[in-house]
Amino acid sequence: MNTDPTSLFSLAPKRLQWLATRQNVVSENIANANISGYRAQDVQSFASYLEDTGRSQQLQEAEVVEAKVLSGATMTGNNVNLEEQLVEANSASGQFQMAASLYRKAHEMVYAVAGRR
């Protein structure tokens, strides 16, 4: 079995943690869409998250950064675009489901090969 740092069994938990943090940040953006002065947030890219977690054995949350939004801020200084945030939430949810499914299938495959199924 491949146990190097890019194997599915080391990459999938990191992807799931990153997606969970991203979903949390997006939900906070949606919740604060009417708060004056609130600035939309996002998480660091997955590639930079992998670099950061590659140095550590522990899973950690992704770094939260200010989001790059396409539209400008409203008169209240809030720059959250609900349509963009809903698309991001849907995307993160779909990616999470796919990553979790792949991780589960890989575990089932290992159990099948080991004769424990």
Side-chain angles (χ1 to χ4, degrees):
M1 175 173 36
N2 185 5
T3 58
D4 70 333
T6 58
S7 78
L8 177 64
F9 293 105
S10 67
L11 188 62
K14 292 175 184 176
R15 180 69 174 180
L16 292 171
Q17 177 63 41
W18 181 82
L19 287 166
T21 303
R22 185 157 202 218
Q23 189 73 3
N24 187 40
V25 168
V26 169
S27 66
E28 287 180 22
N29 287 341
I30 292 170
N32 291 305
N34 291 326
I35 305 297
S36 57
Y38 182 81
R39 308 298 292 174
Q41 299 178 332
D42 201 355
V43 293
Q44 70 188 109
S45 71
F46 185 61
S48 68
Y49 175 72
L50 282 178
E51 288 176 14
D52 292 349
T53 58
R55 299 180 204 114
S56 171
Q57 297 297 325
Q58 302 277 338
L59 279 180
Q60 46 191 311
E61 288 195 26
E63 180 183 339
V64 178
V65 296
E66 188 168 337
K68 296 176 183 128
V69 290
L70 300 176
S71 59
T74 63
M75 292 189 326
T76 64
N78 187 312
N79 71 344
V80 175
N81 182 318
L82 284 176
E83 290 83 10
E84 286 178 15
Q85 296 303 308
L86 291 173
V87 168
E88 291 296 328
N90 190 37
S91 173
S93 175
Q95 290 177 39
F96 190 93
Q97 289 174 355
M98 182 186 314
S101 178
L102 288 172
Y103 194 42
R104 181 177 43 84
K105 289 293 184 185
H107 274 282
E108 289 175 1
M109 188 171 57
V110 169
Y111 284 137
V113 168
R116 295 184 180 165
R117 185 116 214 242

